[in-house]
Amino acid sequence: MKTTSTHSSLTYTYEEMSKKNKEYLWHPFTQMKEYMEDNPLIIERGEGRKLYDIQGNAYWDGVSSIWLNVHGHQVKELDNAITDQLEKIAHSTLLGMANIPSILLAEKVIEIMPKGLKKVFYSDAGATAVEIAIKMAVQYWQHKGKKGKHKFITMKEAYHGDTIGAVSVGAIDLYHETFHALLFPSIKLPYPYTYRSLHKQEEIVKKNLKEMEQLLREQSHEIAAVIVEPIVQGASGIIVMPEGYLKGLRELCTQYNVLLIADEVATGFGRTGKMFACEHEGVTPDLLTAGKGLTGGYLPVAITVATDEIYNAFLGDYEEQKTFFHGHSYTGNPLGCAVALANLELFETTNLVQEVADKSVYIANRLQDFYRLKHVGDIRQKGFMVGIELVKDRETEEPYSWTERIGGLTCRRARELGMLLRPLGNVIVFMPPLASTIEELNEMINVLYEAIADTTEREG
Ligand SMILES: *Cc1c(COP(=O)(O)O)cnc(C)c1O
């Protein structure tokens, strides 16, 4: 089938593009041997909450193009922000100089951050935002005369990105085994997890905080920071934190003089029904990382935001060499900052965060029906972040073996039914664009249900 691109006069066939794709590209998190034997999807354009492939098929963007998209695709306000900026300049550096969009965006970001976060440091991916937070934390303690404080506490199964520093503070075994020799060690404590636990939520919170306190009491002189995905641990399977833990963790970090890094790359910008997940418990971290939704899913911009206490520790005379030694070629990219600013303005005019909070009640109600499916073990949700864990046996909570690929098969079925999803093991992730309407959510949830039913309840 021939298609005409909407943006140029080129025409290309699926066969042509498929062949070139297989010849020249190496895809992320993809076993290429298998991919080569498949008929991969090639997206040509997006509009609203839908993506269209080169053959003209439409799909709901059921995971917001991997947790990024906010208002949808081809949003006029965002498109215009980029083309307007393009008439001025596409890029100039932030090393020792400034540009207008990066200044205006920083002002806006500080306006909406949890109170007390004051300075924005730009980068271009969640992983780099985390690298920056790690380096800031370690250098901060050096400036404070505490060189011994350079270790990190993280949560089991945490995910903070794929660069070496970010993997070091992550805790997903598969990645750790492979790159073990390159990683710096971090101390791992369990994330408060309620599924498959016999304890009540309050008991889990208490027990986990107690463990944290014991560790801090013994080792805080060596600990630079605790890093945590606040309220929802994403890549481990959309694990929702029980109430009270984050607040307790903040108190312990303050008490034991250890920094708290909140990695809001997934949860930030309205995803959980608050602008930032930390707001659910009135917490201000010392460092906050964000990315994904910052540009509405348009361009790669990420931020590490610090308190004045941290920022001020880096001030000094030139000879003292207290400068923060970090930067990237595209730090503070004007096109990215311009679209991020337009994105945040659109949040306000559409009252989007409140809309997400309201519509997530609708999602929660619809999801209750899913327990009719006998292989649905656990449904976890905070705002527009949903994880449905499929199990072999609901009574015993026995998981499917990873070799059964139940998550992958379910998402494949969803694609046939018209929605793009990507699983986390046996957990089906549903993360619709934040501006999805009730009607759109309704259709997406219908596909989700059908895909799970077809895959887990078919004969044989
Ligand atoms: C996605 C994610 C990252 C990594 O962000 P990239 O932009 O993919 O580098 C880091 N932390 C969390 C919590 C994430 O969900």
Side-chain angles (χ1 to χ4, degrees):
M1 178 197 273
K2 286 241 186 238
T3 25
T4 310
S5 162
T6 46
H7 295 294
S8 72
S9 56
L10 285 177
T11 53
Y12 25 65
T13 61
Y14 178 76
E15 290 67 32
E16 254 178 285
M17 280 298 124
S18 179
K19 187 163 168 283
K20 287 183 206 265
N21 175 33
K22 288 176 179 177
E23 189 163 347
Y24 299 114
L25 262 72
W26 187 346
H27 289 265
F29 281 100
T30 302
Q31 176 42 260
M32 294 307 292
K33 176 167 180 280
E34 234 170 49
Y35 186 84
M36 297 296 277
E37 290 152 13
D38 199 358
N39 286 322
L41 196 61
I42 302 176
I43 296 298
E44 186 183 46
R45 64 190 184 90
E47 201 182 317
R49 270 61 75 177
K50 281 191 169 167
L51 298 168
Y52 296 84
D53 71 14
I54 191 173
Q55 292 158 301
N57 301 305
Y59 308 91
W60 293 112
D61 192 357
V63 284
S64 297
S65 297
I66 307 297
W67 314 8
L68 311 174
N69 197 271
V70 174
H71 305 287
H73 300 277
Q74 280 200 68
V75 177
K76 206 191 291 124
E77 291 87 340
L78 304 195
D79 294 359
N80 290 345
I82 294 174
T83 50
D84 289 352
Q85 178 57 38
L86 207 43
E87 286 177 8
K88 300 188 183 99
I89 188 169
H91 184 73
S92 63
T93 182
L94 276 206
L95 270 61
M97 40 198 264
N99 63 60
I100 292 167
S102 67
I103 297 170
L104 296 177
L105 176 60
E107 177 189 33
K108 186 89 211 154
V109 161
I110 293 305
E111 196 185 304
I112 62 173
M113 276 285 148
K115 225 165 96 196
L117 290 164
K118 297 285 192 192
K119 295 289 187 288
V120 178
F121 195 102
Y122 287 110
S123 60
D124 41 33
T128 52
V130 169
E131 296 286 336
I132 289 162
I134 291 168
K135 290 171 77 177
M136 275 181 183
V138 167
Q139 198 177 339
Y140 166 79
W141 287 117
Q142 289 180 20
H143 294 334
K144 288 291 195 180
K146 301 212 162 118
K147 286 201 162 62
K149 281 167 83 75
H150 56 75
K151 292 187 179 165
F152 291 84
I153 298 176
T154 184
M155 306 282 156
K156 287 183 181 158
E157 309 297 322
Y159 177 76
H160 297 291
D162 295 326
T163 54
I164 290 300
V167 175
S168 294
V169 295
I172 292 178
D173 284 344
L174 184 60
Y175 315 150
H176 267 254
E177 278 162 29
T178 310
F179 299 112
H180 183 77
L182 304 181
L183 305 175
F184 62 79
S186 56
I187 304 163
K188 294 164 187 72
L189 286 185
Y191 197 86
Y193 180 60
T194 55
Y195 186 50
R196 296 197 176 88
S197 170
L198 301 170
H199 301 283
K200 287 210 187 73
Q201 297 214 353
E202 310 88 83
E203 291 166 355
I204 294 170
V205 168
K206 240 197 208 152
K207 184 173 151 290
N208 278 262
L209 287 175
K210 209 168 148 195
E211 240 179 294
M212 179 64 76
E213 174 153 28
Q214 190 165 353
L215 180 61
L216 289 174
R217 197 183 297 124
E218 290 162 4
Q219 299 191 45
S220 68
H221 61 288
E222 293 182 329
I223 309 287
V226 176
I227 181 165
V228 67
E229 294 163 79
I231 307 298
V232 184
Q233 196 181 45
S236 58
I238 317 293
I239 311 298
V240 180
M241 219 181 232
E243 212 177 305
Y245 180 81
L246 188 65
K247 198 159 186 288
L249 180 61
R250 170 70 276 183
E251 283 161 11
L252 288 176
C253 287
T254 305
Q255 187 184 341
Y256 288 93
N257 208 21
V258 158
L259 301 178
L260 178 64
I261 302 172
D263 180 359
E264 295 238 22
V265 172
T267 52
F269 301 106
R271 184 52 68 181
T272 68
K274 297 272 187 195
M275 188 53 97
F276 294 96
C278 283
E279 293 172 34
H280 287 286
E281 305 217 343
V283 159
T284 298
D286 301 285
L287 290 161
L288 186 149
T289 57
K292 291 195 170 116
L294 169 60
T295 63
Y298 266 56
L299 285 170
V301 179
I303 48 175
T304 306
V305 190
T307 59
D308 271 339
E309 166 60 26
I310 292 182
Y311 172 79
N312 288 335
F314 287 74
L315 302 178
D317 292 329
Y318 179 71
E319 295 74 25
E320 292 179 82
Q321 299 201 314
K322 285 185 166 179
T323 306
F324 182 51
F325 303 114
H326 193 105
H328 300 283
S329 307
Y330 284 98
T331 294
N333 174 254
L335 289 177
C337 291
V339 73
L341 190 59
N343 172 45
L344 297 181
E345 282 165 358
L346 200 51
F347 262 90
E348 283 171 11
T349 51
T350 59
N351 198 16
L352 191 58
V353 177
Q354 189 55 47
E355 287 280 314
V356 168
D358 294 345
K359 286 174 194 164
S360 59
V361 177
Y362 171 79
I363 296 178
N365 288 335
R366 285 293 314 274
L367 289 174
Q368 283 312 304
D369 297 344
F370 283 55
Y371 281 117
R372 278 192 225 135
L373 300 171
K374 61 181 191 290
H375 292 283
V376 167
D378 193 26
I379 300 172
R380 300 182 283 265
Q381 183 203 0
K382 196 79 186 177
F384 274 34
M385 283 183 105
V386 175
I388 299 172
E389 182 163 343
L390 304 177
V391 291
K392 200 158 190 123
D393 185 318
R394 180 147 72 207
E395 290 314 308
T396 64
E397 300 178 344
E398 183 194 346
Y400 281 102
S401 154
W402 67 276
T403 54
E404 289 180 75
R405 299 176 159 218
I406 196 71
L409 291 171
T410 303
C411 295
R412 191 62 184 218
R413 180 67 188 138
R415 174 174 149 186
E416 289 165 10
L417 296 168
M419 178 159 69
L420 300 180
L421 295 174
R422 190 168 165 97
L424 291 163
N426 299 336
V427 177
I428 308 304
V429 177
F430 178 54
M431 288 228 214
L434 301 186
S436 304
T437 64
I438 293 284
E439 294 71 35
E440 290 171 336
L441 290 169
N442 174 43
E443 286 190 41
M444 290 187 229
I445 292 168
N446 288 344
V447 174
L448 188 63
Y449 188 94
E450 223 178 304
I452 294 173
D454 289 357
T455 312
T456 58
E457 301 200 347
R458 68 180 163 205
E459 300 301 310

